[in-house]
Every structure is written in structure tokens, then in C-alpha cells.
Amino acid sequence: MRINQATLYNLNHPNLNSSTPSFEKKLVEKTNVRKPWGEVERVKVVEYDPKNKKDRKQINNLYHKDWGRLAKYMYSIAYSFSQMTKGGAPEKPIKQQYFGIEDKYSNTLAIAQVQSSDKELRLGNWFFPNCTKITYIQTKPKEMFTSDRRTYEGLGETLIKEIVQIAQDEGRNSVILYSTNDNFWNNSGFFKPIPEARKGGYNIMRLEKEDFDNYIKFVNNKTSFENPYLDIYM
């Protein structure tokens, strides 16, 4: 069962810092992620609201204090989010949203900037009707696959799974993105390159609606209690 809204802020926990509190953040879902030795932990999938002062401070601090320049795409996400607060939203009918994964203390572990439209979205010279586009996705630097300090695995895939679920709920035809890491997107076998776009210099990956369920099951299977030792990357 998907959850529309909930109050997530915990006033009593001593580990909260200035980049984490939010009184009215929208809870999208609760889901599982894996820790390195097979344990499964419950996390929250949330949507950040540009109109919410606490959310604005949290996103700003991710770039300027917490994650900094080690997070390759955090500047672009934070800048776009700040523009949304100043009325810089994309022209309708494009909807722009910001989704994140947070731990039980409301610390952000991964974040994505997403666009969707009932009409068309453009990627390079290509147009895609009724789709969802992952503009940027960023994992907390110390939680990236290349880090030897990470305490979670598969944060990127878990967040993408939730974006795919939302696209499915909204009746989208596909989820699209511009790939800078083909190995990651090829891992599931469900995100496919568009050969014609690649020939034109655009490395576009697409997940068709027929494979939405398969991708969701693929990621869920990795964090199920029945399969606690399957590997997750990103």
C-alpha cells in the first residue's frame, strides 16, 4: 500500500543535524535496502517540496555542507531546486519533482531530479510522449559503490525502482535518461539503449512500460529476506 503523506520529523533523536529536519515532507513509500553483510534495513522514499522552507534548507546543505563537490550532480540538483523556489519551474505540461531516500533519522542517502509529462519530453534531439525522465540521480558520496566506507548497498537502484513505480502509477509509456554509466543501467537488462539516438551521439537509455513490473521485481528481489546476499551496486 502506497502512502501519500506523513510527518517524518523526530524531535527527540539527538543525531539530527541542520541538514535533515522537515516537518511536512511527503512520504512516498517505505522500502528496503541492504547493508554490506546482508542485513536489510527499512528506509523512506520522500518527495522534497520547493515551497517547504525545511526542504529548501536540507537540499541546499547537501551541496554546500554535507556532500559538497564529491557529489558530481548535487550542484545541478540543488541549483534546479532553488530555481523552483523562485518560480523557475518548467513550462507546463512538464512536472518536475525531487525524490530522495532517507534513513530513519531523515538523513538523505540518495536524491533524484525527475521530470514527467502527459505530452512530450525532449532528450537530445529526440522526443518521447507521455514519459518520465530521470534528469539527475546522486548517491551520498560515502555510499557510492566505489567507497570503502559505505553502510548501504543499492541506493541508486532502490530510488530508481520507486521512480519506475510512480511512472507506472501515472500510466507513463517509458522512463528515459541520458546514461553516463552504461554498466549500471545494463545491470538489470531492462533499460535498453536507443541505437538511432546513439548513432547521433546521444546515449539515451529507455525502460518501456512493458518492463516496469520486471524492473521493480528485479530490485525488490535483491532486498528480500529470502535473498539477503545478492549484490546491489551504485
Side-chain angles (χ1 to χ4, degrees), residues 67-91:
W67 294 7
R69 296 182 180 180
L70 293 176
K72 182 178 180 181
Y73 301 115
M74 196 60 234
Y75 170 78
S76 297
I77 295 171
Y79 177 77
S80 172
F81 194 83
S82 70
Q83 292 300 109
M84 289 279 287
T85 71
K86 301 173 184 177
E91 295 183 6

Side-chain angles (χ1 to χ4, degrees), residues 39-179:
E39 308 98 313
V40 174
E41 184 170 307
R42 204 76 167 148
V43 294
K44 299 172 291 192
V45 180
V46 301
E47 181 180 352
Y48 297 106
D49 183 358
K51 297 179 182 179
N52 185 324
K53 183 177 180 180
K54 298 292 183 179
D55 284 1
R56 294 200 301 268
K57 183 176 182 180
Q58 182 168 346
I59 299 302
N60 183 68
N61 282 351
L62 286 178
Y63 176 69
H64 290 284
K65 293 183 179 180
D66 300 337
W67 294 7
R69 296 182 180 180
L70 293 176
K72 182 178 180 181
Y73 301 115
M74 196 60 234
Y75 170 78
S76 297
I77 295 171
Y79 177 77
S80 172
F81 194 83
S82 70
Q83 292 300 109
M84 289 279 287
T85 71
K86 301 173 184 177
E91 295 183 6
K92 293 182 178 180
I94 296 175
K95 178 171 63 174
Q96 184 149 274
Q97 295 170 283
Y98 301 81
F99 297 104
I101 291 180
E102 296 186 346
D103 64 16
K104 61 184 176 181
Y105 307 127
S106 294
N107 296 299
T108 305
L109 304 174
I111 188 170
Q113 178 183 340
V114 176
Q115 291 185 346
S116 56
S117 176
D118 296 335
K119 303 299 184 181
E120 287 185 329
L121 288 179
R122 180 176 179 175
L123 202 51
N125 291 330
W126 297 80
F127 293 86
F128 301 88
N130 187 29
C131 73
T132 292
K133 177 173 73 174
I134 301 174
T135 307
Y136 294 105
I137 184 165
Q138 178 67 60
T139 303
K140 184 176 181 179
K142 79 170 190 176
E143 301 297 345
M144 293 178 185
F145 175 66
T146 54
S147 172
D148 58 3
R149 299 181 297 160
R150 60 187 178 142
T151 54
Y152 299 95
E153 297 184 350
L155 293 170
E157 273 187 335
T158 300
L159 184 51
I160 293 161
K161 176 201 73 174
E162 295 300 327
I163 294 168
V164 171
Q165 179 68 68
I166 292 166
Q168 184 179 62
D169 292 345
E170 293 179 347
R172 303 298 176 198
N173 292 337
S174 62
V175 174
I176 60 171
L177 57 102
Y178 191 84
S179 171

Side-chain angles (χ1 to χ4, degrees), residues 192-205:
K192 305 289 179 58
I194 300 176
E196 296 84 358
R198 184 164 290 186
K199 289 178 182 177
Y202 298 101
N203 195 16
I204 300 171
M205 305 291 283

